Amino acid sequence: METSSSSATLKELTSALHDTLKYNGVLSKLQALARSEIHACLQAEELPPPTLPNENLIINELILEYLKFNGYGHTASVMRAETGQPVEGSVEPSFIRSELGVKGGSKIPVLYGVVEALKTNKENNGKDLVAARA
């Protein structure tokens, strides 16, 4: 009977620890870090990622900037490792804004400006720009 009591206590402790880590935001960071490390270990034996076309570099940089802005640093590090995106800052946000013709300051990610431009275009033209090109 002692075993079932200590087993229940261990389960309660495990549950409480899990809930606390989740509540404090630590659990998701640990999970992301574990995924990143596992991916790095698996990648160590694989061929280097292929050279990315310019469009992919820009898209990846937009996503990475968004992830970092919103506090998803671990997700961004996994993405950078997985995609083979060059080091941070390899594509300046001002260059991307210029290439895409997107207005906006440097305090918010370019992706927000892209979304705003698409919404404005839809409101002004009455049709979805992406659907019109398909």
Side-chain angles (χ1 to χ4, degrees), residues 2 14 42 48 63-64 82 85 92 94 107 114 121 133:
E2 184 67 35
T14 302
L42 294 174
I63 295 168
L64 287 164
E82 189 172 3
Q85 185 80 1
E92 289 294 323
S94 58
K107 294 186 181 191
V114 171
N121 183 65
R133 291 186 176 190

Side-chain angles (χ1 to χ4, degrees), residues 15 18 22 41 67 84 87 92 95 97 101 110 124:
S15 178
H18 179 271
K22 187 174 182 179
C41 290
L67 290 172
V87 292
E92 289 294 323
F95 172 77
R97 278 189 173 82
V110 178
N124 292 340

Side-chain angles (χ1 to χ4, degrees), residues 53-66:
N54 289 338
E55 292 80 11
N56 287 45
L57 288 170
I58 291 173
I59 291 167
N60 289 348
E61 204 61 43
L62 287 169
I63 295 168
L64 287 164
E65 182 188 28
Y66 165 83

